[in-house]
Amino acid sequence: NAGVMQNPRHLVRRRGQEARLRCSPVKGHSHVYWYRQLPEEGLKFMVYLQKENIIDESGMPKERFSAEFPKEGPSILRIQQVVRGDSAAYFCASSPNLVDEQYFGPGTRLTVT
Amino acid sequence: QKEVEQNSGPLSVPEGAIASLNCTYSDRGSQSFFWYRQYSGKSPELIMSIYSNGDKEDGRFTAQLNKASQYVSLLIRDSQPSDSATYLCAVFSGGYNKLIFGAGTRLAVHP
């Protein structure tokens, strides 16, 4: 069984460019979560999605960040006009239900130069 | 007060000893409790889940839950250097309707 997959694993962008991070959940999981982790810091919740719906985006910055989980295909976290402060590890997790354990993907490490 | 609190550590224990990691939470209505292990540069990995008061054992790991005291702990017996990692406590909060992570405790097991 494939776990959560994320790509790319490493992404380098210049300031002002766009970053697109992809996440394919565990097969059968309809709940997807995105987290950000800065070096030596804890996990910060960003957004929770179910198929075609954003359920909770309370952790998303108001500007430049967006997320989707279409009916077909992976979940996408999109960061427009990246700045150096966006450099972090971005983890995706999925679960079969909201109250169940979440399984994490390997993460995408974004570096903004 | 943070929703889920952990001592950041580092907690240093000698090889073969018992490592005790603690976590407190603020939402009395919390239902599900999880421990994750995160090695440096890697993603969090689920190691234990616990839902009812008492102890739950899995190999060298024991999770303990006390809902009255709003306290959950993880014991690692016969600690090995390979257990050196950051341990994240996660609590499903009914009030926030989401899984809340603590900041993690860094464990260092020295030979």
Side-chain angles (χ1 to χ4, degrees), chain A residues 37 56 58 101-102 105 109, chain B residues 32 36 38 41 43 51 98 101:
Chain A
Q37 188 173 42
D56 181 349
S58 58
E101 58 269 23
Q102 296 178 13
R109 277 147 187 86
Chain B
S32 314
Y36 288 80
Q38 186 176 24
S43 61
Y51 302 94
K98 65 165 65 113
F101 283 85

Side-chain angles (χ1 to χ4, degrees), chain A residues 89-103:
Chain A
Y90 291 83
F91 293 104
C92 171
S94 74
S95 67
N97 295 296
L98 176 61
V99 300
D100 289 333
E101 58 269 23
Q102 296 178 13
Y103 295 91

Side-chain angles (χ1 to χ4, degrees), chain B residues 22-94:
Chain B
N22 305 314
C23 172
T24 58
Y25 59 95
S26 60
D27 182 358
R28 189 169 286 279
S30 297
Q31 308 167 30
S32 314
F33 307 84
F34 308 95
W35 282 99
Y36 288 80
R37 177 176 62 198
Q38 186 176 24
Y39 291 114
S40 181
K42 302 294 186 183
S43 61
E45 173 194 10
L46 179 70
I47 52 173
M48 289 286 285
S49 59
I50 187 166
Y51 302 94
S52 52
N53 280 329
D55 294 1
K56 180 181 177 182
E57 188 175 314
D58 184 1
R60 294 187 297 112
F61 298 101
T62 298
Q64 298 176 316
L65 175 61
N66 184 326
K67 290 186 179 179
S69 300
Q70 295 173 240
Y71 176 96
V72 58
S73 64
L74 179 70
L75 301 178
I76 306 175
R77 288 181 299 282
D78 189 24
S79 295
Q80 302 296 310
S82 58
D83 294 326
S84 299
T86 297
Y87 288 81
L88 304 171
C89 171
V91 176
F92 184 83
S93 166

